[in-house]
Amino acid sequence: MKTANHYLDEANAVVPKISTEEGIARHNAGNTVFIDVRDSADIAASGTIAGALRVPRGFIEFAADANTPHHKPQLSKDADIVLICGVGGQAALAGKTLKEMGYQNVSNVGGFSAWKDAGGPVE
């Protein structure tokens, strides 16, 4: 039987974790799609990365699939995508899903509080 840690280990094995500093550098370069996978209440309470798409983890498959009416056009298979959540677990799991859907350039920058504390752009 699988546990939550098993799922996280599998996700972390296929979704690279990048430092907050690298994430901020990618944001500043302007060629990366940032996705906050937390629910809207968490984002409303704390804010999010400036310009980030807001796609809850439970909705990522629909936003990433070009064959659904909920597809986000910013999500192309060749886009450089960086995911963020509260601590990094949900971002890793969502990243694994994107990888399984054919997205190649997917990274996990971890949690929003670390982003904010490092001076990353927020809204």
Side-chain angles (χ1 to χ4, degrees):
M1 178 169 44
K2 286 186 175 184
T3 65
N5 281 336
H6 186 192
Y7 286 105
L8 280 173
D9 289 345
E10 288 177 349
N12 287 323
V14 297
V15 180
K17 179 83 187 282
I18 62 171
S19 69
T20 305
E21 294 74 22
E22 183 178 345
I24 292 170
R26 288 191 193 182
H27 191 277
N28 291 339
N31 300 320
T32 301
V33 177
F34 285 82
I35 304 173
D36 192 328
V37 299
R38 296 176 295 155
D39 67 39
S40 59
D42 288 340
I43 293 171
S46 67
T48 190
I49 294 174
L53 293 177
R54 299 165 187 200
V55 181
R57 179 177 168 243
F59 199 75
I60 198 76
E61 293 88 346
F62 300 103
D65 186 343
N67 296 311
T68 72
H70 307 291
H71 178 251
K72 300 282 187 190
Q74 302 93 322
L75 298 181
S76 64
K77 301 282 184 184
D78 60 348
D80 181 32
I81 297 172
V82 173
L83 299 157
I84 194 161
C85 64
V87 179
Q90 290 182 65
L93 294 168
K96 182 175 184 287
T97 297
L98 289 175
K99 292 280 227 170
E100 290 171 348
M101 293 180 76
Y103 288 81
Q104 299 301 310
N105 305 313
V106 180
S107 302
N108 174 3
V109 74
F112 180 70
S113 61
W115 178 274
K116 190 173 179 180
D117 290 347
V122 299
E123 60 182 41

